[in-house]
Amino acid sequence: MTIKRLDHVSVVVDDLTAAIDFFTVLGMTREGEAKIEGPWVDRINAIEGIEVDIVMMRTPDGHGRLELTKFRNPPLVAIEPAIAPPNTLGLRSVMFAVDDVDDTVARLRAIGAELVGDVVQYENAYRLCYMRGPAGIIVALAEELSA
């Protein structure tokens, strides 16, 4: 075996409070937070003078975690285009299983999230959609349909 588990996914955000709110509305809970800086973090990132605030968010089942990272130093580097389309190279999305897609979409829209396309049904198995979340990331939502 080469890995034990997926530990967490890290998301760099420009507004840590808004990101915490987004993932809290989604159903995650704050697990912990820390200010990170020093030679070890500079060396692992190959960047001098890193200062970040991180907040760990945990899924309700206790298995999934997101690390929300806000850089205080150095300044953020913007990607172009800022709101990348779905076919952009790199990490595509983070998918969450939800009880009710429509309810989740409504709650996320209430705090400013945007639906990327439409809510669609995949065969008789799932209702699916993509939401644009903090820092422009795409969060996929999947509601399993009963057979």
Side-chain angles (χ1 to χ4, degrees), residues 5-57:
R5 69 181 181 279
L6 173 65
D7 188 78
H8 70 273
V9 174
S10 180
V11 179
V12 176
V13 299
D14 57 347
D15 186 337
L16 191 55
T17 301
I20 292 166
D21 290 347
F22 177 89
F23 288 106
T24 298
V25 167
L26 192 55
M28 299 182 84
T29 56
R30 186 185 291 202
E31 181 180 63
E33 56 191 89
K35 294 187 181 305
I36 306 291
E37 58 187 72
W40 72 271
V41 75
D42 291 355
R43 286 196 326 267
I44 197 169
N45 286 282
I47 299 173
E48 293 288 322
I50 288 182
E51 298 173 9
V52 296
D53 298 318
I54 65 167
V55 173
M56 295 300 289
M57 303 292 291

Side-chain angles (χ1 to χ4, degrees), residues 18-29 57-60 66 94-101 103-105 107-108 111 113 129 131 133-134 137-142:
I20 292 166
D21 290 347
F22 177 89
F23 288 106
T24 298
V25 167
L26 192 55
M28 299 182 84
T29 56
M57 303 292 291
R58 182 173 289 280
T59 57
L66 282 177
V94 177
M95 181 173 273
F96 294 95
V98 298
D99 291 328
D100 183 330
V101 165
D103 176 65
T104 305
V105 167
R107 289 185 295 112
L108 292 175
I111 61 165
C129 72
M131 299 289 296
I137 68 166
I138 296 174
V139 175
L141 305 175

Side-chain angles (χ1 to χ4, degrees), residues 55-126:
V55 173
M56 295 300 289
M57 303 292 291
R58 182 173 289 280
T59 57
D61 67 359
H63 296 293
R65 295 188 309 167
L66 282 177
E67 175 187 291
L68 304 175
T69 303
K70 166 67 174 146
F71 275 78
R72 288 181 277 120
N73 191 63
L76 292 172
V77 175
I79 60 168
E80 293 295 329
I83 300 298
N87 61 333
T88 301
L89 286 172
L91 183 62
R92 167 76 173 113
S93 65
V94 177
M95 181 173 273
F96 294 95
V98 298
D99 291 328
D100 183 330
V101 165
D102 294 325
D103 176 65
T104 305
V105 167
R107 289 185 295 112
L108 292 175
R109 278 184 159 166
I111 61 165
E114 297 176 10
L115 193 60
V116 172
D118 296 319
V119 175
V120 299
Q121 185 164 322
Y122 172 70
E123 299 182 349
N124 291 322
Y126 293 97

